[in-house]
């Protein structure tokens, strides 16, 4: 059976539930320790070390933690851009200048997201980033990423393509979330590397 097109959707939904269930079983200590390792691994990557601007996001719940990394990037003088979810699921961007620059925003019935509280820079601001961190639930050996299903980052990737921007695309995951295969559709784009607490794996 083909895993392209609409047939991929139930597979993706079931996989998302499985990965989220495992994440929900992690303790606060597990998440904190992983965040420290993820920051250390990511900061050691050449493309991150030379970046002037990084588009990232604030992790929520048991997601692989990003705040340690965001603060370390800021301390290096890197410009950190964070997304703000728009009503149509597209993303606007604002600058991260520390935890006091964040506001907790609830979008309908969904979980509350930490978003930049300051000036909005517009959806195209992401095209200025040298590195883009994409949230995900899993990645496979081809670099294909399983996202949360909202489509926001599909728009980001399409916007980067249209602008001719070629930032390094990275996904931060737990070690168990690097898997043999995730369902992919024609518009899906592979990431360049996955960062896990135990190391970095590159796909091209």
């Amino acid at each position: 059976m083909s895993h392209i097109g609409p047939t991929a959707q139930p597979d993706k939904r079931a996989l998302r539930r499985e990965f989220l269930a495992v994440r929900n079983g992690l303790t606060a200590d597990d998440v904190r320790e992983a965040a420290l390792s993820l920051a250390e691994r990511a900061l050691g990557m050449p493309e991150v070390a030379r970046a002037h601007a990084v588009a990232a996001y604030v992790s929520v719940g048991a997601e692989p933690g990003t705040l340690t990394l965001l603060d370390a990037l800021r301390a290096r003088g890197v410009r950190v851009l964070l997304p703000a979810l728009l009503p149509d699921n597209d993303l606007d961007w604002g600058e991260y200048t520390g935890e006091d620059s964040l506001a907790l925003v609830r979008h309908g019935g969904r979980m509350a997201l930490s978003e930049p509280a300051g000036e909005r820079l517009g959806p195209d601001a992401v095209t200025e980033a040298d590195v883009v961190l994409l949230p995900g639930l899993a990645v496979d050996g081809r670099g294909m990423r399983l996202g949360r299903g909202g489509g926001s980052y599909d728009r980001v990737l399409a916007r980067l393509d249209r602008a001719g921007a070629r930032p390094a695309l990275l996904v931060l995951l737990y070690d168990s979330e690097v898997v043999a295969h995730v369902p992919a559709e024609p518009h899906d784009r592979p990431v360049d590397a996955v960062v896990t607490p135990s190391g970095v794996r590159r796909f091209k």
Side-chain angles (χ1 to χ4, degrees), residues 39-70:
E40 189 180 332
R41 300 286 185 192
L43 292 165
M45 298 176 71
E47 52 270 73
V48 175
R50 62 175 174 257
H52 298 291
V54 173
Y57 58 93
V58 179
S59 52
V60 293
E63 259 191 317
T66 60
L67 272 175
T68 304
L69 175 57
L70 303 188

Side-chain angles (χ1 to χ4, degrees), residues 4-142:
I4 302 297
T7 54
Q9 293 312 310
D11 297 336
K12 285 188 175 182
R13 276 199 295 271
L15 280 173
R16 285 187 188 107
R17 281 196 299 271
E18 287 174 31
F19 286 115
L20 286 169
V22 174
R23 280 186 182 180
N24 290 337
L26 296 172
T27 67
D29 283 343
D30 293 335
V31 175
R32 192 163 44 246
E33 285 169 25
L36 292 171
S37 298
L38 286 165
E40 189 180 332
R41 300 286 185 192
L43 292 165
M45 298 176 71
E47 52 270 73
V48 175
R50 62 175 174 257
H52 298 291
V54 173
Y57 58 93
V58 179
S59 52
V60 293
E63 259 191 317
T66 60
L67 272 175
T68 304
L69 175 57
L70 303 188
D71 287 332
L73 290 168
R74 282 265 312 133
R76 287 182 174 188
V78 177
R79 186 178 189 222
V80 177
L81 301 174
L82 294 179
L85 189 65
L86 295 170
D88 65 355
N89 269 6
D90 206 347
L91 298 177
D92 201 339
W93 298 85
E95 197 156 344
Y96 176 69
T97 56
E99 284 195 59
D100 58 355
S101 69
L102 297 174
L104 206 58
V105 181
R106 189 169 293 282
H107 296 275
R110 292 187 263 188
M111 68 179 76
L113 301 174
S114 287
E115 298 186 349
E119 179 194 358
R120 292 286 184 262
L121 305 173
D124 287 334
V126 70
T127 63
E128 298 163 21
D130 305 299
V131 173
V132 177
L133 298 184
L134 304 167
L137 291 168
V139 71
D140 69 15
R142 303 164 297 169

Side-chain angles (χ1 to χ4, degrees), residues 160-174:
L160 294 171
D161 275 345
R162 285 196 302 273
R166 295 284 177 269
L169 303 177
L170 311 181
V171 59
L172 306 183
L173 295 174
Y174 297 109

Side-chain angles (χ1 to χ4, degrees), residues 176-189:
S176 62
E177 294 169 344
V178 181
V179 298
H181 179 78
V182 297
E185 294 163 72
H187 66 266
D188 289 336
R189 227 183 115 178

